[in-house]
Amino acid sequence: MDDFREWAVRAAEWGVDYRERVRDLPVRPPVKPGDIAAQIAASPPEQAEPFERVFADFERIIAPGMTHWQHPRFFAYFPSNSAPASVVAEHLVTAFGAVCMLWQTSPAATELETVAIDWLRQAFGLPEGFQGCIQDTASTATLAAVLVMRERALNYAGNSGGLSGTPTLRIYCSSEAHTSIDRAIWFSGIGADNLVRIPIKGAQRGADPQALRALIEADIAAGYKPAGIIANVGATGVGAIDPVAELAAIAREFDLYLHIDAAWAGSAMICPELRHLWTGVELADSIVINPHKWLGAQTHCTAHFVRDPNSLVRTLAAKPDYLHTLGHDEVVNYSEWGVPLGRQFRALKLWFVLRAYGLEGLRSMIRNHIAWSGALCEKLRAAAGFEIVTEPSFSLFSFRYAPPAAADLDALNLALVEAINADGRIYLTQTRVDGRVVIRFQAGQFECTEADVLGAYDVITEIAALTHARP
Ligand SMILES: *Cc1c(COP(=O)(O)O)cnc(C)c1O
């Protein structure tokens, strides 16, 4: 390309302008499937194109087709904050374009990763025994954890001998667990039939420890080999929280590996007053938390804490000759701690964000999100025709529109979510609770204000009345 400096500056400035005007855009773009692809050339150009034209097409075709995750009224899924400090870090990281698989392939990236993970450990109030690394996603961190469960239960013979002829392994999680756990079970060869669902109980929809004990005992009696437990702290659907201390005691008793999925809610543990929600976490073997969700570090940035890195390395590390770093046996090579070999430099954005906001700055944002979301929940509870289905878990609750005489409430609520999202002022998603369609609400975007969160009330009630009135 002709002028790297000019375009790099223009791209950075475009990003700054975009963040200034994003609040005025519809959160979800008003496009239909295929609309964007139809505007893009079907084949690559044989000859170089002027970059002016490339950039113009980006502005004309791509930008209007984006869903705006950095929009202050993005209340769908979970947040994925890309704080300005993180954007600046990513500019620098892409300038290096380094592959940070071994200490030697980027010493500063490796050493900063060690320090940044330890900063996070302290920020979450985790004991010194935990080390960790930054994975791309919670999905691959959980896959790594399940592979460790498998190898540990098979005395590290599964990688060489495969699973045929070994005892059938069993892993336990509640029905609220994220689909990344199902997939990890498939990919590890353990098989979906051996992912045992623990019944849930109570308003927090946590796994029932007594039921877990009974399941494990029945499995042992039937000749299965229990290998591990995966606990939720803030599950994706409606924020279910398992009783970690009680599950940890069972894990100890039966010598099972305990992995905690706190991908979303873990970030909130920088607030000491919330840590009672994961009491017992210090007994876990591994914990996954996504600072790219609620702490502002641009995706991908998954903190994977482990008590015993050796079990990870024994399970995952391959050492062909070309990966030996001669004379550097004492260094850590983080590619041995995860599934991918190549890794981006992910610690820089975390370091920038933690320093740019400070823990107090991040805590006050998270506390605001929880308080504002709770206030919206109370307004909806009081609104005619609305019911709260699950109470707030951190900044997430679910509700349902159930006006008297409405016939098919699932269809009505699906129509309501679609109508709200087509309107564009806010963005919400739905899930099912005990078989019924509910609408989720979470607040967590860094730029959102109290007015944004409480203003969702007007949009929801206004569109609900219209949706219901429609024949
Ligand atoms: C977001 C989320 C995941 C998946 O995270 P990825 O990083 O996208 O793989 C898993 N579990 C929970 C509880 C989550 O919130």
Side-chain angles (χ1 to χ4, degrees):
M1 79 186 266
D2 30 24
D3 193 339
F4 181 30
R5 181 176 303 277
E6 181 195 333
W7 288 107
V9 170
R10 260 184 77 175
E13 286 183 342
W14 191 94
V16 175
D17 292 340
Y18 164 72
R19 288 296 179 89
E20 283 176 358
R21 66 189 169 83
V22 67
R23 142 180 306 284
D24 301 322
L25 302 173
V27 194
R28 199 183 70 173
V31 297
K32 295 187 304 302
D35 278 0
I36 309 299
Q39 301 176 67
I40 302 172
S43 306
E46 293 295 339
Q47 308 300 331
E49 295 187 63
F51 210 75
E52 190 73 55
R53 199 196 301 162
V54 178
F55 201 87
D57 281 351
F58 158 76
E59 290 188 284
R60 183 176 61 85
I61 303 170
I62 305 302
M66 293 298 288
T67 297
H68 302 294
W69 285 72
Q70 307 311 313
H71 196 297
R73 292 186 303 279
F74 182 102
F75 304 125
Y77 306 98
F78 281 138
S80 188
N81 283 292
S82 176
S86 172
V87 176
V88 172
E90 291 288 75
H91 285 321
L92 302 174
V93 162
T94 49
F96 286 120
V99 178
C100 307
M101 54 190 181
L102 307 172
W103 177 86
Q104 158 172 296
T105 63
S106 284
T110 298
E111 296 188 14
L112 184 61
E113 185 162 337
T114 307
V115 175
I117 276 286
D118 198 62
W119 280 22
L120 279 184
R121 178 192 65 73
Q122 297 172 50
F124 297 140
L126 294 172
E128 274 184 11
F130 283 101
Q131 300 178 53
C133 65
I134 308 177
Q135 309 279 18
D136 51 0
T137 60
S139 300
T140 48
T142 292
L143 174 58
V146 168
L147 292 169
V148 172
M149 287 181 194
R150 184 190 81 187
E151 286 306 292
R152 185 178 166 276
L154 298 177
N155 289 321
Y156 296 89
N159 278 344
S160 51
L163 298 191
S164 61
T166 64
T168 302
L169 303 180
R170 303 285 257 189
I171 290 177
Y172 307 84
C173 71
S174 94
S175 47
E176 300 288 305
H178 189 265
T179 49
S180 57
I181 293 162
D182 299 77
R183 298 167 71 228
I185 300 294
W186 307 342
F187 306 156
S188 64
I190 292 172
D193 293 348
N194 298 309
L195 179 62
V196 183
R197 299 292 178 173
I198 314 165
I200 58 172
K201 66 169 193 186
Q204 286 192 335
R205 304 181 73 78
D208 177 352
Q210 272 170 312
L212 171 61
R213 170 186 299 281
L215 288 167
I216 294 171
E217 285 171 348
D219 277 354
I220 293 171
Y224 293 116
K225 182 152 182 43
I229 302 170
I230 300 172
N232 305 304
V233 175
T236 311
V238 291
I241 303 173
D242 290 339
V244 174
E246 292 173 72
L247 301 192
I250 294 174
R252 283 275 156 107
E253 182 184 337
F254 291 94
D255 190 27
L256 307 181
Y257 185 101
L258 177 64
H259 176 66
I260 312 265
D261 180 3
W264 160 63
S267 292
M269 297 308 179
I270 61 170
C271 304
E273 73 275 15
L274 297 172
R275 292 185 193 148
H276 67 96
L277 293 168
W278 71 357
T279 302
V281 69
E282 66 281 358
L283 301 171
D285 294 291
S286 55
I287 308 164
V288 61
I289 299 172
N290 279 355
H292 65 237
K293 281 182 170 154
W294 211 354
L295 282 186
Q298 153 112 358
T299 185
H300 295 144
C301 187
T302 291
H304 181 191
F305 293 101
V306 289
R307 176 178 294 290
D308 172 24
N310 284 330
S311 61
L312 257 189
V313 172
R314 263 184 96 176
T315 301
L316 297 174
K319 282 221 183 203
D321 289 341
Y322 56 83
L323 289 179
H324 279 284
T325 52
L326 301 176
H328 290 299
D329 287 344
E330 74 288 2
V331 298
V332 49
N333 295 316
Y334 280 124
S335 58
E336 299 175 352
W337 296 39
V339 174
L341 172 62
R343 329 169 69 242
Q344 278 181 326
F345 183 4
R346 302 194 190 101
L348 193 70
K349 57 196 169 194
L350 198 51
W351 193 50
F352 276 26
V353 167
L354 291 173
R355 297 179 68 184
Y357 286 87
L359 292 177
E360 266 309 309
L362 295 166
R363 282 185 197 113
S364 62
M365 256 188 292
I366 285 178
R367 286 173 180 145
N368 280 339
H369 297 154
I370 293 174
W372 298 338
S373 169
L376 176 69
C377 177
E378 293 318 312
K379 282 187 80 166
L380 282 172
R381 198 194 305 277
F386 283 88
E387 55 190 44
I388 302 305
V389 179
T390 57
E391 295 296 325
S393 171
F394 301 87
S395 64
L396 169 67
F397 66 92
S398 71
F399 65 94
R400 182 169 160 92
Y401 182 43
D408 184 345
L409 288 181
D410 284 354
L412 177 63
N413 280 276
L414 289 174
L416 176 56
V417 176
E418 190 44 39
I420 288 170
N421 293 340
D423 171 83
R425 281 175 287 174
I426 65 175
Y427 184 29
L428 302 176
T429 39
Q430 73 290 334
T431 187
R432 278 183 189 269
V433 172
D434 301 328
R436 302 181 308 170
V437 172
V438 301
I439 303 179
R440 298 168 75 256
F441 183 93
Q442 68 75 27
Q445 211 284 322
F446 271 25
E447 304 294 322
C448 86
T449 64
E450 185 171 13
D452 288 320
V453 175
L454 294 181
Y457 176 86
D458 302 325
V459 178
I460 294 167
T461 51
E462 173 197 315
I463 297 179
L466 292 173
T467 308
H468 187 37
R470 251 197 337 242

Coordinates of all heavy atoms in Angstrom, one line a residue, residues 78 137-139 178 180 234 236 261 263-264 290 292-293 302, ligand 1:
F78 N -23.5 -10.7 26.8 CA -22.7 -10.1 27.8 C -21.9 -9.0 27.1 O -21.7 -9.0 25.9 CB -21.7 -11.1 28.5 CG -22.4 -12.0 29.5 CD1 -22.1 -13.4 29.5 CD2 -23.3 -11.5 30.4 CE1 -22.8 -14.2 30.4 CE2 -24.0 -12.3 31.3 CZ -23.7 -13.7 31.3
T137 N -9.8 -17.5 24.3 CA -11.3 -17.5 24.7 C -11.4 -18.4 25.9 O -10.6 -19.3 26.1 CB -12.2 -18.0 23.5 OG1 -11.8 -19.4 23.3 CG2 -12.1 -17.2 22.3
A138 N -12.6 -18.2 26.5 CA -12.9 -19.2 27.6 C -13.1 -20.6 27.1 O -12.9 -21.6 27.7 CB -14.2 -18.7 28.3
S139 N -13.6 -20.6 25.8 CA -13.9 -22.0 25.2 C -12.6 -22.8 25.2 O -12.6 -24.0 25.5 CB -14.4 -21.8 23.8 OG -15.7 -21.1 23.9
H178 N -22.4 -23.4 30.3 CA -22.3 -22.9 28.9 C -22.0 -24.0 27.9 O -21.4 -25.0 28.3 CB -21.1 -21.9 29.0 CG -20.9 -21.1 27.7 ND1 -20.1 -21.4 26.7 CD2 -21.5 -19.9 27.3 CE1 -20.1 -20.5 25.8 NE2 -21.0 -19.6 26.1
S180 N -19.8 -24.1 25.8 CA -18.3 -24.4 25.6 C -18.0 -25.6 26.4 O -17.0 -26.3 26.0 CB -17.5 -23.2 26.1 OG -17.8 -22.9 27.4
G234 N -21.9 -17.3 37.6 CA -22.5 -16.4 36.7 C -22.6 -17.1 35.3 O -22.0 -16.7 34.4
T236 N -24.3 -18.2 31.6 CA -24.6 -17.3 30.5 C -26.1 -17.0 30.5 O -26.5 -15.9 30.3 CB -24.1 -17.8 29.2 OG1 -22.8 -18.2 29.4 CG2 -24.3 -16.8 28.1
D261 N -16.1 -21.9 35.8 CA -16.4 -21.1 34.6 C -17.0 -19.8 35.2 O -18.2 -19.7 35.5 CB -17.3 -21.8 33.7 CG -17.6 -20.9 32.5 OD1 -17.1 -19.7 32.4 OD2 -18.4 -21.3 31.6
A263 N -16.5 -16.9 33.4 CA -16.1 -16.1 32.2 C -16.6 -14.7 32.2 O -15.8 -13.7 32.0 CB -16.5 -16.8 30.9
W264 N -17.8 -14.5 32.6 CA -18.4 -13.1 32.6 C -18.2 -12.6 34.0 O -17.6 -11.5 34.2 CB -19.9 -13.2 32.2 CG -20.7 -12.0 32.7 CD1 -20.5 -10.7 32.3 CD2 -21.8 -12.0 33.6 NE1 -21.5 -9.9 33.0 CE2 -22.2 -10.7 33.8 CE3 -22.5 -13.1 34.3 CZ2 -23.3 -10.4 34.6 CZ3 -23.5 -12.7 35.1 CH2 -24.0 -11.4 35.3
N290 N -13.0 -13.9 31.7 CA -12.8 -13.1 30.5 C -12.7 -11.6 30.8 O -13.7 -10.9 30.8 CB -13.9 -13.3 29.5 CG -13.8 -14.6 28.7 OD1 -12.8 -15.3 28.8 ND2 -14.8 -14.9 27.9
H292 N -12.0 -9.6 28.8 CA -12.5 -8.9 27.6 C -14.0 -8.7 27.7 O -14.6 -7.9 26.9 CB -12.1 -9.6 26.3 CG -12.7 -11.0 26.0 ND1 -11.9 -12.0 25.8 CD2 -14.0 -11.4 26.0 CE1 -12.7 -13.1 25.6 NE2 -13.9 -12.7 25.7
K293 N -14.7 -9.3 28.6 CA -16.1 -9.0 28.8 C -16.3 -7.7 29.6 O -16.8 -6.7 29.1 CB -16.8 -10.2 29.4 CG -17.1 -11.3 28.4 CD -17.8 -12.5 28.9 CE -18.3 -13.4 27.8 NZ -18.4 -14.8 28.2
T302 N -8.6 -13.8 27.7 CA -9.2 -14.8 28.7 C -8.1 -15.1 29.7 O -7.1 -15.7 29.4 CB -9.7 -16.0 28.0 OG1 -10.8 -15.7 27.2 CG2 -10.0 -17.1 29.0
Ligands
LIG1 C1 -18.9 -15.8 27.4 C2 -18.9 -17.1 28.2 C3 -18.2 -18.2 27.7 C4 -17.6 -18.3 26.4 O1 -16.6 -17.4 26.3 P1 -15.6 -17.3 25.0 O2 -14.5 -16.6 25.5 O3 -16.4 -16.6 23.9 O4 -15.3 -18.7 24.6 C5 -18.2 -19.3 28.6 N1 -18.8 -19.3 29.8 C6 -19.5 -18.3 30.2 C7 -20.2 -18.3 31.6 C8 -19.5 -17.1 29.4 O5 -20.2 -16.0 29.9

